[in-house]
């Protein structure tokens, strides 16, 4: 059964057609940096989730400039965008994939690592294909990861395209903070996601 699921995900995953005839394999990926403006997201002292995810988004755009991937940043600035507005702005872009970036916080300070979520909808197979690739690229670097998780988050569930939510680590964990709160670490996190976008 496991092998079947793996093969299924593998097969649907390679079936992407580009809208750009000069770059037949080019895909459009929207990066949805979570929170923004008055919505800071999780925080640890003065370190804010909204800033971390915006920084990782910018690194990701830079890293993908030579790839067969067009990255569109949904929130390049520190502004509040409601979830409903995010959905309509994303759908106007008709992306092949949406990556929603967040950072976690837990009362259990030992909890750490990257978590990836997909919704249970008609795009689950394609979303899972990318979600699995993202987790695998972190695993290859011996980074702590959970298994791909299903969650009907409002944004994931209501988007009309494949989408994943990536929780980049825990602001409440000292080891994760070395990555979340440093330029080196943020580039590392962005690099693992960028490497998973090679089709
Ligand atoms: Zn968040």
């Amino acid at each position: 059964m496991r092998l079947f699921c793996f093969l299924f995900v593998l097969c649907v995953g390679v079936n992407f057609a580009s809208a750009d005839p000069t770059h037949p394999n080019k895909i459009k990926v929207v990066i949805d940096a979570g929170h923004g403006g008055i919505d800071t997201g999780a925080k640890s002292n003065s370190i804010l989730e909204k800033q971390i995810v915006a920084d990782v988004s910018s690194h990701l755009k830079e890293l993908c400039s030579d790839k067969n991937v067009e990255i569109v940043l949904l929130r390049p600035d520190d502004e509040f965008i409601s979830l409903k507005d995010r959905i309509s702005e994303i759908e106007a872009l008709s992306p092949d994939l949406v990556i929603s970036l967040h950072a976690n916080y837990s009362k259990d300070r030992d909890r750490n690592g990257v978590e990836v979520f997909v919704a249970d909808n008609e795009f689950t197979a394609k979303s899972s294909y990318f979600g699995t690739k993202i987790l695998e690229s972190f695993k290859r670097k011996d980074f702590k990861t959970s298994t791909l998780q299903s969650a009907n988050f409002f944004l994931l569930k209501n988007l009309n395209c494949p989408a994943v939510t990536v929780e980049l680590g825990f602001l409440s964990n000292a080891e994760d903070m070395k990555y979340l709160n440093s330029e080196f670490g943020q580039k590392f996190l962005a690099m693992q996601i960028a490497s998973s976008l090679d089709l």
Side-chain angles (χ1 to χ4, degrees):
M1 186 60 187
R2 247 190 191 175
L3 181 67
F4 171 76
C5 291
F6 176 72
L7 289 174
F8 177 67
V9 165
L10 208 66
C11 291
V12 293
V14 293
N15 191 21
F16 281 92
S18 169
D20 178 354
T22 52
H23 296 91
N25 296 320
K26 192 160 189 161
I27 60 165
K28 187 193 278 182
V29 179
V30 170
I31 306 298
D32 167 55
H35 312 282
I38 51 163
D39 174 12
T40 61
K43 54 181 157 182
S44 173
N45 301 318
S46 60
I47 301 154
L48 306 177
E49 177 187 357
K50 68 171 185 176
Q51 186 61 50
I52 292 169
V53 294
D55 291 345
V56 174
S57 301
S58 309
H59 292 308
L60 198 44
K61 187 170 171 70
E62 229 174 87
L63 285 166
C64 289
S65 59
D66 295 335
K67 288 185 182 242
N68 250 349
V69 178
E70 178 193 354
I71 297 278
V72 181
L73 300 185
L74 190 72
R75 180 174 75 73
D77 304 309
D78 183 19
E79 61 167 328
F80 176 80
I81 313 174
S82 73
L83 291 176
K84 274 192 172 168
D85 287 347
R86 282 175 200 251
I87 289 172
S88 33
E89 284 180 32
I90 289 169
E91 287 184 350
L93 293 162
S94 307
D96 297 292
L97 173 69
V98 177
I99 301 178
S100 191
L101 293 180
H102 286 263
N104 250 324
Y105 192 94
S106 172
K107 281 183 182 163
D108 175 0
R109 289 182 175 271
D110 291 333
R111 221 176 135 195
N112 70 331
V114 170
E115 297 185 346
V116 180
F117 299 87
V118 296
D120 187 9
N121 59 16
E122 63 177 297
F123 302 101
T124 304
K126 282 186 177 177
S127 304
S128 301
Y129 168 76
F130 282 109
T132 304
K133 284 190 76 163
I134 292 170
L135 286 169
E136 279 171 357
S137 74
F138 280 100
K139 268 185 219 160
R140 274 197 295 275
K141 298 286 177 183
D142 291 328
F143 212 77
K144 166 113 188 278
T145 53
S146 62
T147 53
L148 186 67
Q149 296 173 72
S150 176
N152 282 332
F153 297 146
F154 184 81
L155 187 100
L156 286 185
K157 191 181 160 141
N158 290 292
L159 278 171
N160 202 15
C161 60
V164 299
T165 291
V166 180
E167 294 277 358
L168 293 163
F170 285 78
L171 277 90
S172 41
N173 178 266
E175 274 305 303
D176 281 5
M177 275 300 268
K178 288 181 190 166
Y179 289 87
L180 295 170
N181 193 35
S182 70
E183 197 181 350
F184 163 82
Q186 291 173 349
K187 277 188 181 163
F188 170 87
L189 296 170
M191 210 177 289
Q192 303 326 306
I193 296 174
S195 71
S196 67
L197 296 175
D198 280 325
L199 293 177

